[in-house]
Amino acid sequence: MPLWQQLDAVAGALQAVRGGQSGTAALAEVDAALRPGVQALLFQVLRHAGRAEALRRQLAARKPPPAVDALLCTALALCWAPDESPYEPFTLVNQAVEAAKRNPSMRAQASFVNGCLRRFLREREGLVARSDDDPLARWNHPLWWIERLRKDHPHHWEQILRANNAHAPMALRINAQKCTPALYLQALKAINLGANLVGDHGVVLERAVPVSSLPGFGDGWASVQDAAAQLAAPLLLQGMDLGQPLRVLDACAAPGGKTAHLLELAGPGAALQVTALEIDAERSARIGENLRRLGLQAQVLVADAARPEDWWQQECGGEPFDAILLDAPCTASGIVRRHPDVRWLRRESDIAQLAALQARLLRALWPLVRPGGRLLYCTCSVFRAEGEEQVQTFLAHNTDARLLPSPGHLIPGGGHNPSGDHDGFFYALLQKSL
């Protein structure tokens, strides 16, 4: 496909994200033949959108129409750093101008696009140097996000931002009922795919590949799951007697990775009864699909975890649970490198709204835990309002709860992380007194 056509599609997707649409939804509207290339370019653009916007402001004092601005920022994000550019900057500029000429909504602005981008090629070093003083350009995150991280993680905020702008590794969870991580490494080596062990049940691939090319994937040997998310099931089950009948609730379960991990760890002989709850019917269907591929069984319900009165008595017999896993809806601020659109979609006010939902879920589910039982609260967020502060407030209002040893906030990325390269996450294991 011609590059101008891809750039036009990327600019359209960028404009959609700026309008509040998720990157996934925007890409779904792109022609299937174009989509893989467009996604790769869009992700790079989203990772450098702050820099591109700062450069565009220098090149055009007055903001151009949204479609033209998106095309300019697409080209600038892809060619501002030649060593990271997927194509020669000169080629990108030519093809961006071609995209403007061929798009009826931008045709009248094609000479303007041409003038801005040619000037950028001539003055690139000076323009980039001047943009270095702009935090939006330097960190490619909204200013409120940067300030929130500085406040929440004064010693790690820069590491978090750098990790967010990098590519996430592809991590796999190995199904303990069918294989071991060490044996799976050998199977990967046999197809010349390098990997390293991570945690107790995972491997991290040296390069991402389609799941269809992974050994035994269709037979349930492995699942794609980040190393941080792989901590949930072992944390919830640690110290529990798996030889006894256990009732476990996965309260916000889609797409089912943690549900499956609980069943994999319990093993075929365990009397583990898992209920997987999901409010969205379409996402709930994915839980069933994943469990079938892995050869596992759970009770899957489409219901609102915050409203136990709708499902607890009727579907679960009104019996308390031995353990509840609450992977609560959150800002997703810990998985930005996998979803680079998140930083541009979120608003600062979202944090308080989501924290209120998390508190409501905790209040609704805590009465469903039996005395002596436990609840694992987790979010894929690095914001303390959704993690440490949420749990401290809960403990202050629930004297029958105590915090067991827990990882707390996990910082995304590799480098200084003792547990390897993983997403940002938060974990708190709460036990109910007898």
Side-chain angles (χ1 to χ4, degrees):
M1 293 288 179
L3 180 55
W4 69 263
Q5 205 171 346
Q6 293 189 59
L7 294 177
D8 185 54
V10 172
L14 175 61
Q15 189 180 348
V17 169
R18 286 174 163 179
Q21 192 174 25
S22 74
T24 302
L27 285 165
E29 296 175 15
V30 175
D31 182 86
L34 278 174
R35 199 174 299 145
V38 169
Q39 177 174 310
L41 293 174
L42 176 64
F43 277 26
Q44 184 165 346
V45 167
L46 291 168
R47 290 186 176 109
H48 297 285
R51 175 74 69 171
E53 195 174 311
L55 290 168
R56 198 274 303 148
R57 283 201 302 270
Q58 293 186 66
L59 294 165
R62 183 181 299 175
K63 188 173 183 178
V68 175
D69 187 48
L71 181 62
L72 276 174
C73 286
T74 291
L76 292 167
L78 293 172
C79 71
W80 79 273
D83 55 332
E84 295 181 33
S85 179
Y87 301 93
E88 286 294 324
F90 187 78
T91 301
L92 282 164
V93 167
N94 275 349
Q95 292 296 293
V97 173
E98 188 68 18
K101 288 178 180 176
R102 289 177 179 258
N103 188 319
S105 68
M106 289 189 273
R107 193 171 295 143
Q109 300 280 327
S111 60
F112 168 75
V113 171
N114 184 57
C116 287
L117 294 179
R118 299 290 172 195
R119 181 188 161 200
F120 173 75
L121 290 180
R122 291 194 305 272
E123 303 176 24
R124 185 184 64 80
E125 287 189 16
L127 291 165
V128 169
R130 283 195 292 278
S131 70
D132 282 339
D133 295 331
D134 185 338
L136 180 71
R138 185 177 179 194
W139 296 112
N140 290 290
H141 284 70
L143 296 180
W144 68 262
W145 191 304
I146 298 169
E147 288 308 309
R148 175 71 69 139
L149 286 180
R150 288 178 72 138
K151 174 174 157 285
D152 282 2
H153 301 281
H155 303 298
H156 296 106
W157 67 275
E158 291 179 308
Q159 179 189 334
I160 295 170
L161 291 169
R162 276 194 293 269
N164 286 354
N165 290 326
H167 292 262
M170 186 172 180
L172 306 176
R173 183 190 75 247
I174 308 307
N175 186 347
Q177 295 190 27
K178 300 198 174 188
C179 195
T180 67
L183 285 172
Y184 202 78
L185 277 185
Q186 293 178 22
L188 291 170
K189 188 177 180 181
I191 59 169
N192 297 314
L193 189 55
N196 298 294
L197 297 173
V198 60
D200 293 331
H201 311 103
V203 302
V204 175
L205 304 182
E206 289 181 357
R207 57 184 172 85
V209 296
V211 293
S212 57
S213 66
L214 292 170
F217 188 83
D219 296 323
W221 289 15
S223 300
V224 177
Q225 188 180 44
D226 183 75
Q230 291 184 34
L231 296 175
L235 270 169
L236 186 66
L237 295 179
Q238 68 181 2
M240 299 189 80
D241 185 356
L242 297 178
Q244 297 295 316
L246 290 174
R247 288 166 46 82
V248 177
L249 173 69
D250 187 352
C252 302
K258 298 179 182 69
T259 300
H261 199 188
L262 288 165
L263 293 162
E264 289 170 8
L265 291 178
L272 188 69
Q273 181 185 336
V274 178
T275 298
L277 207 63
E278 174 56 43
I279 193 170
D280 184 283
E282 194 172 317
R283 283 169 52 78
S284 179
R286 291 185 60 197
I287 301 173
E289 291 167 10
N290 284 322
L291 292 177
R292 281 190 292 276
R293 181 180 64 82
L294 295 163
L296 302 168
Q297 286 188 317
Q299 179 186 28
V300 181
L301 301 178
V302 179
D304 183 353
R307 293 180 53 84
E309 63 270 22
D310 293 343
W311 51 268
W312 186 42
Q313 283 287 350
Q314 304 93 308
E315 304 290 350
C316 302
E319 290 291 316
F321 293 97
D322 298 286
I324 293 178
L325 170 58
L326 172 55
D327 184 0
C330 70
T331 57
S333 57
I335 55 172
V336 174
R337 58 185 186 166
R338 294 184 192 281
H339 301 280
D341 55 333
V342 164
R343 71 190 94 180
W344 308 118
L345 292 169
R346 288 282 175 237
R347 300 292 176 262
E348 189 168 15
S349 57
D350 292 344
I351 299 175
Q353 291 175 11
L354 285 160
L357 172 59
Q358 293 150 11
R360 194 162 83 245
L361 284 162
L362 281 166
R363 283 196 303 272
L365 294 172
W366 187 244
L368 277 55
V369 179
R370 69 161 173 81
R374 56 184 56 178
L375 183 150
L376 179 64
Y377 171 78
C378 56
T379 61
C380 53
S381 174
V382 292
F383 295 140
R384 293 198 181 277
E386 301 182 281
E388 184 180 299
E389 292 171 10
Q390 182 74 260
V391 168
Q392 290 305 319
T393 300
F394 177 81
L395 290 169
H397 290 89
N398 293 272
T399 54
D400 61 345
R402 72 182 182 101
L403 181 63
L404 298 178
S406 306
H409 281 283
L410 298 174
I411 303 303
H416 305 297
N417 283 345
S419 51
D421 192 356
H422 53 64
D423 290 341
F425 238 82
F426 175 82
Y427 284 108
L429 185 59
L430 303 163
Q431 185 171 48
K432 182 176 280 191
S433 57
L434 289 164

